[in-house]
Amino acid sequence: MKNLYRFLASSDHSVARAVRDVRRQVRGFTLPAPRPIVVPMRMAFEAAREVYYFGARVLVCEPHFKSHCARYGKGVRTGNFIHYIQGRGDIVLGDDVVLDGKINIVFAARFSDRPTLRIGDNTGIGHDCRIIVGKSVSIGKHCRIAGSVYILDSSGHPSDPEARKHGLPPADTEVRPVVIEDNVWLGARSMIFPGVTIGEGSVVSAGSIVMADVPPYTVVAGNPARRVASLRTEPPPAEPEAIRAGARGNVADDAGRRSLEGRAS
């Protein structure tokens, strides 16, 4: 059979050339697509797809996910995939939380009786995120977490080489809670390490590896992530009352002088 394939693929024999020519014609075959026919076909397909995915989300995916939650608020929504949840722990969700696509949540029972994942109101988490919870991962309100973000409060293996060689679990001190405060934006493929706190209003750029705390209203980027910008807008310094009173007096004097000059003219 190999020899036949080689013959048909490379021989100058008329039969081989004819077979190759037929193959090219078949691979290049296409049909016209008159709009009066294909547009209704496309619209019917898209309508059927939306109905199917709506049913899958509302009747299968969301009930499956909510059955894992210890508590969830109003308007919690998922995508069209069943999230992959391993181990036992508490998932506590606020209102209007969206978990899109397919997300992997892993609970480790070794370090806590009930490891807990908390997600605040109006937070959205994108497709292909992975959250490892040994003790606690807390995500605040109004957060935006892009796709393929990795959040972990435990690396899963000890940092000590001997312990790792013998297959021991990480030490309890190596499992440190992660806190993501309100209104944080985590860019795609970023990674949040154990013990990290990301301050309110901060942005983690795509692909960043965050191994230390991020102050509020800060943009970080890189591996390891470093501060690259500040998002805090400071109000102008307040003027002392005496200066403000003097300024008001000067304005009044100027107005009075212009009035007298107008009458004199």
Side-chain angles (χ1 to χ4, degrees), residues 32-66:
R35 292 184 62 82
I37 296 175
V38 298
V39 169
M41 289 173 58
R42 187 202 72 205
M43 294 175 66
F45 167 78
E46 290 175 351
R49 181 181 62 185
E50 290 302 314
V51 170
Y52 170 79
Y53 282 136
F54 176 82
R57 176 177 68 83
V58 173
L59 300 177
V60 179
C61 301
E62 286 179 2
H64 177 271
F65 176 71
K66 289 176 179 177

Side-chain angles (χ1 to χ4, degrees), residues 127-143:
H127 172 66
D128 198 33
C129 288
R130 184 176 176 86
I131 304 174
I132 310 296
V133 189
K135 292 180 180 177
S136 173
V137 172
S138 178
I139 302 172
K141 301 177 181 180
H142 302 284
C143 291

